[in-house]
Amino acid sequence: MIKMIKKLIIFLSLVICCTGCGSGVTHEATELQTKVITHREKDISYDIIPPPEKFSEYIKRNKIKLKEEYSELPPAFGEVGGRDYPSLICCFLDVNDKINYLEYELTQEMEWKISIPNWSTEIKKIAPTGLISYQVDQLGRKYCSVLGDEGDVLIYSISDEGEFRNIDIKEIDSLAINDNKILVNFDIINDSILALLYGEKDSEDEKCNIFFFNPFTEECTKMGTTISSNIIFDEKGNYYSLSNSQQYIQCFSIDDTMPQRVIKCNGISGISAMSDLIVDSENGYFISNHGIYSGKITDKEWNVMLPISKMYYNKKDSVFKDDPIVAFPGWLKVNGDDLDFYVQTYKTNDGNETEWIHYYEN
């Protein structure tokens, strides 16, 4: 079974709607019936999953009023991976400029369930500016980072009941090696270790100090460095980045500045990003203009597993015709065979509407 980690990064600067909540309104979890359209080929099938209820329709039905100066635009979405079905969280501002959240979950019946996360009220108390990032491990334990009152970044765990517990990382903050550095990112290595990346306050994609941290004992278990903050980890603590030559995926240990190994992948291009790469305990997957590549993380080269010609997207759109990768804002590898994917695709290049496509072997 594939070991996956649920991830979500919510970029608050992308919030593009502002709403006012009606007095005394009760927001109920909503499940929408969907009709799946299936397309079958020789070796692969895919299901086109209709999108959930439009955001504008949801707020109207729940009597949430938009501010007059704002149009009914879709909210900013982040992608969550690691479960058997896509799950997304959107954020929006209420009339008091407080951030609110909605969770969209695709169920086993291929129906979208829309609800307010049970932690959405509590987050307003501890972090009025909202979440910086949000992650969930394989066992369903939730973690988030928020901006503290003194401008520092704090990490919390979130219980099943929606309660927040601050994880004390002062041990790391006090280390001399971290002078003038702040927490710029964190990741989940496995079900008991977090990777905390510290870098300069105003720098992007730079070399970082890294600390493996046990959130239960609140102790640092290992420290090292990374070549960048724009990386992903496997469950053994190795990290991966794309080479500057745009030809290789590099695998590093936090103990070394040179890669342990490199994987040739012809699909890497100038517009490729780390979000295009998925790594589990044994295998890796990369989505590109040529389709989806795959291979063992120990292989020297990955090859195309699903050609772009067999993937569903708006091939008539001129933007997507030249660079198909920009048509896929999110994707998710789920437990199952190598071809078991959910891929999110834009209907048009304006980015206002998306569809989820489920690929699987016949």
Side-chain angles (χ1 to χ4, degrees):
M1 177 174 287
I2 292 176
K3 164 107 176 142
M4 296 296 292
I5 295 174
K6 306 172 187 177
K7 296 184 178 180
L8 169 69
I9 297 180
I10 300 173
F11 295 98
L12 300 179
S13 61
L14 293 180
V15 176
I16 52 179
C17 59
C18 188
T19 66
C21 297
S23 174
V25 174
T26 300
H27 303 279
E28 298 178 353
T30 306
E31 293 192 10
L32 299 177
Q33 297 294 323
T34 62
K35 182 179 179 181
V36 174
I37 301 174
T38 300
H39 178 87
R40 298 189 186 280
E41 294 192 7
K42 182 178 180 181
D43 300 320
I44 188 172
S45 296
Y46 62 80
D47 295 336
I48 304 172
I49 303 169
E53 180 182 22
K54 289 184 178 180
F55 178 72
S56 58
E57 295 174 356
Y58 177 87
I59 61 172
K60 181 178 181 180
R61 185 168 50 79
N62 283 281
K63 300 180 181 179
I64 304 173
K65 297 180 180 180
L66 288 171
K67 286 186 176 180
E68 291 183 0
E69 64 267 30
Y70 285 82
S71 61
E72 296 184 2
L73 296 174
F77 279 99
E79 169 216 352
V80 180
R83 53 183 73 180
D84 290 331
Y85 305 97
S87 173
L88 307 102
I89 288 179
C90 72
C91 52
F92 59 92
L93 300 176
D94 65 20
V95 71
N96 297 314
D97 288 334
K98 300 293 184 181
I99 296 178
N100 294 262
Y101 298 91
L102 289 177
E103 183 170 21
Y104 290 62
E105 296 179 281
L106 187 65
T107 68
Q108 185 176 2
E109 293 75 24
M110 296 293 105
E111 301 169 357
W112 286 102
K113 177 183 177 183
I114 307 175
S115 61
I116 296 177
N118 61 1
W119 45 261
S120 61
T121 299
E122 186 68 19
I123 190 64
K124 298 177 187 178
K125 301 176 183 177
I126 65 171
T129 57
L131 303 176
I132 297 175
S133 64
Y134 171 89
Q135 301 197 32
V136 188
D137 69 15
Q138 176 68 12
L139 299 179
R141 292 184 294 238
K142 305 178 185 71
Y143 300 91
C144 70
S145 61
V146 302
L147 190 64
D149 293 337
E150 299 178 0
D152 52 342
V153 178
L154 306 176
I155 293 182
Y156 286 85
S157 62
I158 308 174
S159 72
D160 291 340
E161 293 74 31
E163 298 175 348
F164 286 75
R165 179 182 70 86
N166 178 246
I167 298 175
D168 188 353
I169 57 175
K170 292 179 181 178
E171 172 192 358
I172 295 176
D173 292 333
S174 65
L175 296 175
I177 189 176
N178 261 351
D179 283 350
N180 299 317
K181 294 184 181 293
I182 64 169
L183 182 68
V184 295
N185 194 10
F186 85 97
D187 205 342
I188 298 176
I189 301 299
N190 51 50
D191 295 333
S192 61
I193 297 295
L194 305 180
L196 310 181
L197 281 77
Y198 283 74
E200 299 294 339
K201 292 183 178 180
D202 300 319
S203 298
E204 295 183 2
D205 197 20
E206 59 154 16
K207 179 179 178 181
C208 290
N209 294 331
I210 181 171
F211 303 87
F212 289 172
F213 194 81
N214 187 317
F216 307 105
T217 63
E218 297 183 337
E219 294 177 328
C220 178
T221 61
K222 190 176 182 179
M223 64 180 68
T225 58
T226 67
I227 63 169
S228 167
S229 60
N230 188 23
I231 56 179
I232 64 170
F233 289 86
D234 63 25
E235 63 180 17
K236 296 179 181 179
N238 298 315
Y239 71 89
Y240 297 78
S241 69
L242 305 183
S243 69
N244 293 330
S245 67
Q246 298 175 5
Q247 296 181 13
Y248 298 97
I249 296 168
Q250 305 173 110
C251 175
F252 291 84
S253 161
I254 67 170
D255 300 316
D256 303 309
T257 57
M258 297 296 291
Q260 293 180 330
R261 59 182 179 275
V262 295
I263 303 167
K264 186 177 181 181
C265 186
N266 291 327
I268 299 175
S269 69
I271 61 174
S272 295
M274 288 307 299
S275 58
D276 300 327
L277 177 65
I278 294 175
V279 175
D280 62 37
S281 58
E282 297 181 355
N283 302 303
Y285 307 89
F286 187 80
I287 190 168
S288 76
N289 282 333
H290 303 297
I292 294 179
Y293 285 71
S294 73
K296 299 288 186 182
I297 58 176
T298 54
D299 288 346
K300 294 182 179 179
E301 184 173 359
W302 290 354
N303 297 306
V304 174
M305 174 181 62
L306 178 60
I308 195 69
S309 61
K310 293 186 177 182
M311 295 185 68
Y312 173 88
Y313 64 99
N314 185 357
K315 295 180 174 66
K316 295 181 180 180
D317 193 297
S318 59
V319 174
F320 301 155
K321 183 177 181 181
D322 295 333
D323 285 309
I325 183 63
V326 300
F328 309 123
W331 67 312
L332 169 67
K333 179 70 183 76
V334 296
N335 295 324
D337 57 55
D338 266 354
L339 276 173
D340 208 343
F341 286 93
Y342 284 89
V343 179
Q344 187 183 26
T345 179
Y346 291 121
K347 287 187 175 182
T348 59
N349 65 47
D350 60 16
N352 283 340
E353 290 189 70
T354 65
E355 292 178 298
W356 279 93
I357 314 301
H358 180 210
Y359 296 91
Y360 51 93
E361 290 183 3
N362 286 332

